[in-house]
């Protein structure tokens, strides 16, 4: 099995804000890697002062035939399997891309900053779009207001300083999936899954607010509870089946403790007793968080791959609740796995 994953380096320079990496899962040998950064239009720290990640690094990944498509903030970058560049696709509505999904020759992209999903063909031509804040069901259920946006202009750099997450009606739509020819989206802010085809709220779990990833796997829905450090397994009617806490696995718990202790030691050794810096470091600790879950994909019967920080991939049997394998890529909690794709 070959695994592709993207990373985000929190608080890192935007030009070196993440990578696309390919590995042979059986041997854990790195087969290739390349830096990912937002260019054309170029984004620098002057444009984006948000240190959490924002325009840094890579996001969702799909493979179509012999082409790897990986999302950055405002573009899809194309590579061959050896990670040699093949081109780029961009669009005036690619704003804060997160997870992507391929189905029936349509690539669905989550344009998170503006709460929409965009469908394009493999050449980049727009096919359709769906906007969370134009759904009458969602507007009523969550008391949202419609987004004020000019869809005809180039929006790619216009939202960098808006901080959409602080806007009261922002849904932070960050994952998309097609199941049985119906389109589903994940609303991070509410811990909710919505079927855009039938206009139906499938799942709403406030305990997973801030969640990432949406995977339909066998007869289940799987979501990363990023803040709770859990992998959530639901029935397709939205009923919770099980919550797998990554901290229950000793090997992952050890990674968490080591990263957490290293972070605390660094903070106390430099700024102990200085109130101003203590407040800053508390904020920094939020930005650089160990076991920050992003990245989720099937890896075979009952097996999934889960990504987290410091950049690590875990293979888990969700039926038996067992940790099967681990691949630690970095020991730096600033480096987080984001996109994740397993290819047999």
């Amino acid at each position: 099995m070959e695994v592709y994953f993207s990373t985000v380096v929190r608080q890192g320079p935007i030009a070196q804000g993440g990578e696309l990496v390919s590995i042979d899962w059986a041997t854990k040998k790195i087969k290739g890697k390349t830096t990912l950064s937002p260019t054309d239009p170029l984004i620098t720290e002057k444009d984006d002062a948000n240190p959490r990640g924002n325009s840094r690094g890579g996001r969702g990944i799909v493979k179509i035939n012999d082409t790897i498509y990986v999302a950055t903030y405002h573009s899809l970058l194309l590579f061959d399997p050896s990670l040699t560049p093949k081109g780029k696709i961009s669009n005036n509505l690619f704003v804060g891309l997160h997870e992507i999904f391929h189905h029936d020759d349509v690539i669905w992209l989550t344009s998170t900053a503006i709460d929409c999903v965009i469908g394009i063909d493999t050449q980049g031509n727009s096919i359709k779009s769906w906007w969370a804040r134009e759904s009458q069901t969602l507007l009523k259920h969550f008391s949202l207001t419609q987004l004020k946006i000019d869809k005809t202009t180039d929006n790619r750099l216009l939202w960098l300083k808006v901080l959409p997450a602080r806007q009261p009606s922002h849904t932070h739509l960050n994952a998309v999936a097609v199941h049985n020819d119906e389109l589903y989206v994940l609303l991070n802010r509410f811990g909710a899954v919505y079927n855009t085809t039938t206009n139906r709220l499938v799942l709403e779990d406030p305990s997973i607010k801030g969640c990432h990833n949406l995977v339909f796997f066998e007869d289940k829905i799987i979501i990363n509870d990023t803040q709770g450090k859990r992998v959530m397994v639901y029935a397709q009617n939205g009923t919770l089946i099980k919550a797998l806490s990554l901290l229950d696995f000793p090997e992952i718990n050890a990674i968490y403790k080591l990263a957490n202790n290293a972070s605390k030691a660094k903070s106390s050794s430099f700024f102990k007793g200085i109130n101003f810096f203590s407040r800053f470091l508390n904020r920094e600790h939020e930005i650089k968080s160990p076991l920050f879950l992003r990245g989720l994909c099937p890896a075979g019967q009952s097996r999934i791959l889960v990504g987290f920080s410091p950049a690590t991939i875990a293979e888990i049997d969700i039926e038996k609740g067992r940790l099967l394998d681990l691949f630690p890529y970095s020991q730096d909690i600033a480096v987080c796995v984001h996109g994740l794709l397993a290819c047999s």
Side-chain angles (χ1 to χ4, degrees):
M1 180 170 68
E2 188 164 20
V3 174
Y4 297 88
F5 65 95
S6 62
T7 64
V8 169
V9 182
R10 297 181 179 279
Q11 289 190 312
I14 294 175
Q16 291 88 41
E19 297 177 300
L20 174 64
V21 183
S22 67
I23 63 170
D24 179 271
W25 188 251
T27 63
K28 305 302 183 292
K29 180 181 178 181
I30 296 175
K31 300 179 66 176
K33 59 182 178 179
T34 185
T35 300
L36 299 171
S37 61
T39 59
D40 190 25
L42 177 67
I43 298 177
T44 68
E45 284 73 13
K46 182 179 179 180
D47 307 303
D48 178 13
N50 183 351
R52 291 193 72 252
N54 210 32
S55 59
R56 291 164 176 79
R59 291 95 191 282
I61 307 168
V62 297
K63 183 179 182 183
I64 305 173
N65 299 323
D66 289 327
T67 300
I68 310 298
Y69 295 75
V70 56
T72 62
Y73 180 84
H74 57 44
S75 302
L76 281 181
L77 303 183
L78 282 57
F79 300 89
D80 69 14
S82 66
L83 305 191
T84 300
K86 294 180 67 173
K88 179 177 76 73
I89 294 171
S90 194
N91 181 295
N92 71 306
L93 296 177
F94 286 8
V95 188
L97 299 182
H98 276 64
E99 296 305 318
I100 61 179
F101 192 90
H102 175 239
H103 176 74
D104 277 355
D105 296 325
V106 178
I107 303 173
W108 290 100
L109 307 99
T110 55
S111 199
T112 298
I114 54 176
D115 285 329
C116 78
V117 284
I118 300 168
I120 63 170
D121 64 21
T122 55
Q123 304 305 309
N125 300 303
S126 294
I127 298 174
K128 60 186 75 174
S129 63
W130 180 87
W131 298 74
R133 289 165 64 181
E134 293 179 3
S135 163
Q136 293 303 312
T137 302
L138 293 179
L139 289 175
K140 182 178 180 180
H141 186 81
F142 293 117
S143 300
L144 306 178
T145 58
Q146 289 199 7
L147 179 69
K148 295 180 180 179
I149 181 173
D150 180 352
K151 298 177 184 178
T152 65
T153 194
D154 188 347
N155 282 275
R156 291 176 297 174
L157 302 184
L158 298 183
W159 301 81
L160 283 167
K161 297 180 181 180
V162 173
L163 297 178
R166 296 185 182 179
Q167 307 306 310
S169 285
H170 183 63
T171 70
H172 206 77
L173 190 168
N174 63 5
V176 59
V178 177
H179 179 67
N180 291 336
D181 293 322
E182 296 179 349
L183 184 71
Y184 294 79
V185 296
L186 180 69
L187 308 178
N188 159 294
R189 187 167 187 167
F190 304 108
V193 175
Y194 189 74
N195 184 327
T196 74
T197 306
T198 63
N199 295 314
R200 182 172 62 92
L201 199 60
V202 174
L203 185 161
E204 185 178 1
D205 184 351
S207 76
I208 63 169
K209 289 180 180 180
C211 50
H212 286 81
N213 307 100
L214 174 62
V215 172
F216 284 82
F217 185 44
E218 298 171 347
D219 60 345
K220 303 173 182 65
I221 298 173
I222 307 177
I223 297 172
N224 271 336
D225 175 15
T226 297
Q227 307 299 332
K229 310 182 192 315
R230 304 177 298 174
V231 177
M232 310 296 283
V233 183
Y234 299 90
Q236 290 190 24
N237 64 3
T239 302
L240 179 64
I241 297 174
K242 65 176 69 175
L244 297 172
S245 172
L246 294 197
L247 290 174
D248 287 344
F249 300 116
E251 299 90 338
I252 296 179
N253 201 330
I255 293 173
Y256 173 76
K257 289 181 178 178
L258 183 64
N260 207 30
N261 290 340
S263 177
K264 290 179 179 178
K266 178 182 176 182
S267 300
S268 60
S269 64
F270 281 99
F271 302 115
K272 185 176 181 180
I274 303 177
N275 291 334
F276 173 80
F277 286 113
S278 294
R279 289 194 298 271
F280 170 78
L281 287 166
N282 286 337
R283 174 61 179 153
E284 181 182 28
H285 182 70
E286 292 175 8
I287 295 168
K288 299 179 180 179
S289 174
L291 236 66
F292 189 84
L293 271 65
R294 284 188 178 176
L296 180 67
C297 72
Q301 187 174 8
S302 82
R303 295 180 295 117
I304 59 171
L305 298 183
V306 181
F308 56 88
S309 59
T312 304
I313 300 171
E315 182 181 8
I316 297 173
D317 186 317
I318 60 170
E319 294 294 338
K320 298 178 180 179
R322 292 177 51 202
L323 176 65
L324 302 176
D325 210 346
L326 273 176
F327 172 71
Y329 179 68
S330 174
Q331 295 182 338
D332 185 348
I333 62 171
V335 184
C336 186
V337 172
H338 198 305
L340 189 54
L341 176 68
C343 302
S344 57

